[in-house]
Amino acid sequence: MGYKDVYAGWKADPEGFWTEAAKAIEWEKFPTRALNDDKAPIYSWFDDGLVNTCFNAVDRHVRDGRGDQNAIIYDSPITGTKSAITFAQLQAKVAQLAGALKAKGIETGDRVIIYMPMVPEALVAMLACARIGAIHSVVFGGFAAHELAVRIDDCTPKAIIAASCGLEPGRVVHYKPLLDGAIEQATHKPEFCVIFQRDQERAELIEGRDYDWDAVQEGVAPADCVPVPGSHPAYILYTSGTTGAPKGVVRATGGHLVALNWSMKNIYNVDPGDVFWAASDVGWVVGHSYIAYGPLIHGNTTVVFEGKPVGTPDAGTFWRVISEHNVRSFFTAPTAIRAVKREDPKGDSVKRYDISCLRALYLAGERADPDTIEWAQKVLGKPVYDHWWQTETGWTIAGNPAGLEALPVKVGSPTVPMPGYDVQILDEAGHPMKPGELGAIAVKLPLPPGTLPTLWNAEDRFRKSYLTAFPGYYETGDAGMIDEDGYLYIMARTDDVINVAGHRLSTGAMEEVLASHPDVAECAVIGVGDSLKGQLPVGFVILTKGVNRPHGDITAECAKLVRDQIGPVAAFKLSVVVDRLPKTRSGKILRATMVKIADNEDFKMPATIDDPAILDEIRAALQTIGYAGA
Ligand code: COA
Ligand code: AMP
């Protein structure tokens, strides 16, 4: 069956489709129904089934003869280390850590924050939580202590598992002071921490609170897998919304297993035993779905890569890893490919390696610009598949189902909706639009298995953020169109979320930080186009009356403040002092118009603008920092 038939088959019988897919997962008790719509528009999948994620990702593969197959390949050009862990070894490691957590009082449903860089132990920690039904929340290492504190207070973890440090090119990221600072700032205090000591830096442990990763596991009994209901949260992953408070996306266990397993063959076209590599970070959704869970659930070997696309040591790193580890499908963000292209425009480094094992390159996380796709197609000589999804969905909304049927690629489109997603383009009043017309992208409810059922402890926010604008639909926050052939095009966000180097960030959160600067009376942050990172944040600050300090000092302090409060990953370096901000007569800042000016694009004068002359001032200010056609 080709894509059209499979999609039509799903549409005709969604529950039948997912019940069939659920048979590829091993359940302690198979669910009696696929979808529970008793509380619609809040839905849940496979909720009366009993299942364990770790058993499906690890134990069953060992039982079925994959014990000697590599589960994880660790390749760390940044430390000069390479190693591998088989499924049998992984089972032993995970069971032992799970045993230690259990011995220290972690029970099913308890939250555990994981704050670790790209080391195999991060996956071991995630799986150990899953093994005993604890709910993990992984926090990306590029966030500052404050962001970690916010997450601690929101999900109130009983324990935190952290590494002593992370490694960025030329810099050690000292995790322990960040962890200690976060716990100090947070109102909620975890009962204990487990610290994985890396060779590059050993952290000092706090007596009675911190336990060494190895020591805490000594002499404890390994833990067995605990079956949990299909609706049990597997994890919480925080993502940026429009305000400073991140959204705790909940992932339910049953749907997560079923959807990820389905995606590995049908989208990424790998068979059990193949090596799959997603060059992302465990702190992001791509890392959850396609470094940790998806490949392991499906019996694939996954690559944990601790390095950068360039500079570790050069632009050939990706191709070396693919060639050395026999990677069949490779997934990364367009930014990473742009970084490689900038350093090696002719793709000479590709020729240094035999990458004949590779079938296709998959791109997601931000808009894939045609230049980048075409360059990658040319230098790799392989298909390049853009696909579109979000932290909220956990897997592809629209993509090219290459394992089912490789559809013709239209550069600029992530291709077509996957089974499970009835994607529609709606106008402001919620009416479906015609092919080729630009509107809000919405997905008809219910969303498929694997997508978020709600936000952690915030069902109201879930409803308001996603279900209210278009009743009966999930609002994606993206705008775009569908063409006559049913191909989807993603054009822009409809909210204040920006995407910097494939990292989702909130301009609202940055504005909250800038507003806390004593000399700032008012501010706005926008995302301007950047040839490497896709977008970069730029701040506009209006100074408090009477402040007469050098503007350079104030903007430097603003940059430091955002770095200290949100983290280096915000990449907030540029801001300008202005006298006024362009607003509508009702006082709304015209950020979209400011973005157009910064990117030197044509724009329509907003009918509701209070004073058009301000736009010239904004243009002049942007020109001083190299934008707006400077
Ligand atoms: N821990 C601590 N700091 C981190 C970090 C981490 N895990 N990840 C990034 N940072 C820091 C960087 O060191 C940098 O700090 P600096 O301001 O001191 O230089 C800052 O955060 C900004 O990082 P980034 O925006 O990633 O820029 P970069 O110049 O370091 O790297 C790329 C640029 C393109 C090489 C890099 O962004 C990249 O590899 N992107 C791929 C995107 C990706 O994997 N996205 C995941 C979703 S699929
Ligand atoms: P995240 O939750 O970090 O995965 O970010 C999700 C957002 O990134 C989406 O809502 C889009 O705005 C953007 N995005 C992700 N993938 C794509 C893509 N293939 N094309 C365009 N935008 C994308």
Side-chain angles (χ1 to χ4, degrees), residues 365-367 386-391 478 490 493 499 504:
E366 59 177 317
R367 201 180 102 78
D386 179 17
H387 60 319
W388 169 64
W389 51 294
Q390 314 179 309
T391 304
D478 284 304
I490 315 298
R493 287 288 301 190
N499 205 312
R504 174 166 159 182

Side-chain angles (χ1 to χ4, degrees), residues 328-346:
R328 283 183 90 75
S329 290
F330 174 46
F331 177 171
T332 192
T335 302
I337 300 296
R338 285 196 294 270
V340 172
K341 176 177 164 228
R342 195 163 75 165
E343 228 119 289
D344 179 19
K346 292 207 186 88

Side-chain angles (χ1 to χ4, degrees), residues 535-597:
Q535 284 183 299
L536 270 184
V538 167
F540 297 81
V541 294
I542 298 176
L543 301 186
T544 312
K545 224 169 173 183
V547 170
N548 205 6
R549 299 172 52 219
H551 290 179
D553 290 357
I554 296 172
T555 54
E557 286 159 16
C558 286
K560 185 171 182 308
L561 208 55
V562 175
R563 192 178 173 94
D564 291 347
Q565 290 290 307
I566 296 179
V569 69
F572 183 91
K573 304 219 157 114
L574 293 170
S575 52
V576 283
V577 175
V578 290
D579 291 330
R580 310 180 289 172
L581 287 166
K583 290 185 183 170
T584 61
R585 280 187 284 275
S586 61
K588 198 170 169 294
I589 298 173
L590 291 160
R591 293 184 181 77
T593 309
M594 293 163 79
V595 172
K596 292 268 189 215
I597 294 172

Side-chain angles (χ1 to χ4, degrees), residues 87-106:
F87 273 102
Q89 290 166 335
L90 183 60
Q91 184 183 30
K93 283 177 187 290
V94 170
Q96 197 62 27
L97 180 63
L101 294 177
K102 210 172 138 186
K104 293 230 77 61
I106 301 291

Side-chain angles (χ1 to χ4, degrees), residues 33 36-40 42-43:
R33 61 178 172 196
N36 179 350
D37 58 3
D38 293 351
K39 277 179 61 196
I42 308 280
Y43 295 89

Side-chain angles (χ1 to χ4, degrees), residues 453-466:
T454 188
L455 294 175
W456 182 255
N457 269 344
E459 193 175 297
D460 264 5
R461 189 175 181 196
F462 173 67
R463 288 174 190 269
K464 277 194 200 114
S465 305
Y466 304 106

Side-chain angles (χ1 to χ4, degrees), residues 140-142 168-169 171 173 175 279-281 284 286 308-310 331-333 335-336 339 364-365 500-503 532-533 563 568-571 573:
F140 179 63
E168 283 293 290
R171 159 168 86 93
V173 185
Y175 275 34
S280 176
D281 188 287
W284 307 115
V286 177
K308 300 275 173 181
V310 293
F331 177 171
T332 192
T335 302
V500 180
H503 307 137
L532 174 66
K533 298 193 180 185
R563 192 178 173 94
V569 69
K573 304 219 157 114

Side-chain angles (χ1 to χ4, degrees), residues 239-240 284-286 334 363-368 386-393 397-398 412-414 474 476-479 489-495 497-499 502-505:
T239 191
S240 300
W284 307 115
V285 71
V286 177
L363 298 176
E366 59 177 317
R367 201 180 102 78
D386 179 17
H387 60 319
W388 169 64
W389 51 294
Q390 314 179 309
T391 304
E392 287 85 342
T393 66
I397 309 171
S413 164
Y474 163 81
T476 65
D478 284 304
Y489 292 78
I490 315 298
M491 313 304 282
R493 287 288 301 190
T494 56
D495 55 16
V497 166
I498 60 170
N499 205 312
H503 307 137
R504 174 166 159 182
L505 299 166

